[in-house]
Amino acid sequence: MAPSKPLLHLLSASLLVVAVVLPSAFATDVSYCDKKATYDVSVSGVEISPNPIARGKDATFSISATTGEEISGGKLVIDVSYFGWHIHSETHDLCSETSCPVSVGDFLVAHSQVLPGFTPPGPYSLQMRMYNGSNKELTCIAFGFDIGFITDVADM
Ligand SMILES: *[C@@H]1O[C@H](CO)[C@@H](O)[C@H](O)[C@H]1NC(C)=O
């Protein structure tokens, strides 16, 4: 079925909004929360799968990191924002998302989550803070991601 004309207008309008508000909405550029800080854990990249994320489906964020110190355990605090509005927060055991203890060198954190019900298409950002067992902040990163609308066109 070909989408109706008003629907096409709606789609191009949303694309325009995304492009104007956040030019990098589709890229997975990671930045540190505090660009001047020297974090114990450095992050070299994030892979998002699927990209864009499908609404209501499991999304996986694979974070490539390097630590200068062995990590026996800790936690991850995830905060999700939509157009800059904080919409979701959750805390996970670090050892459930990577294998502990983490030895000195490179390691991978794989975080999977289904985004909460209120997930309109558009630009989201995720902030991830990693703490060790004594609540010392090891790193804090932020990156943007996008939730697709194509998969849900049939429901409109
Ligand atoms: C957390 O990091 C701090 C600073 O590096 C260290 O003193 C502390 O022993 C670490 N805690 C654990 C449980 O590894």
Side-chain angles (χ1 to χ4, degrees), residues 21 28 31 50 62 104 121 124 139:
V21 174
T28 323
S31 61
S62 305
V104 172
Y124 288 77
T139 200

Side-chain angles (χ1 to χ4, degrees), residues 40 69-74 131-138:
D40 292 350
E69 248 180 66
E70 182 175 294
I71 308 165
S72 51
Y131 295 91
N132 80 358
S134 340
N135 261 341
K136 158 120 201 314
E137 190 179 75
L138 299 175

Side-chain angles (χ1 to χ4, degrees):
M1 188 194 80
S4 65
K5 223 166 174 220
L7 180 58
L8 282 177
H9 283 152
L10 185 68
L11 291 182
S12 41
S14 352
L15 279 177
L16 191 66
V17 168
V18 169
V20 168
V21 174
L22 198 75
S24 61
F26 298 97
T28 323
D29 289 332
V30 192
S31 61
Y32 290 110
C33 306
D34 179 352
K35 285 164 188 77
K36 292 192 207 88
T38 10
Y39 292 111
D40 292 350
V41 168
S42 57
V43 172
S44 55
V46 174
E47 208 170 281
I48 302 173
S49 169
N51 193 4
I53 290 167
R55 214 191 300 187
K57 301 239 169 68
D58 232 10
T60 304
F61 302 95
S62 305
I63 295 138
S64 310
T66 308
T67 180
E69 248 180 66
E70 182 175 294
I71 308 165
S72 51
K75 63 180 183 183
L76 285 179
V77 180
I78 312 275
D79 287 293
V80 178
S81 305
Y82 177 67
F83 279 109
W85 290 84
H86 183 259
I87 55 163
H88 187 66
S89 187
E90 55 186 60
T91 302
H92 292 269
D93 181 358
L94 176 64
C95 297
S96 67
E97 319 231 307
T98 192
S99 57
C100 288
V102 178
S103 27
V104 172
D106 296 344
F107 66 108
L108 194 73
V109 176
H111 172 70
S112 285
Q113 75 173 96
V114 176
L115 284 139
F118 177 72
T119 51
Y124 288 77
S125 66
L126 188 149
Q127 187 191 70
M128 190 202 80
R129 282 169 287 157
M130 192 184 294
Y131 295 91
N132 80 358
S134 340
N135 261 341
K136 158 120 201 314
E137 190 179 75
L138 299 175
T139 200
C140 176
I141 55 162
F143 56 89
F145 66 93
D146 200 66
I147 293 187
F149 45 82
I150 304 297
T151 47
D152 278 322
V153 164
D155 305 334
M156 285 173 82

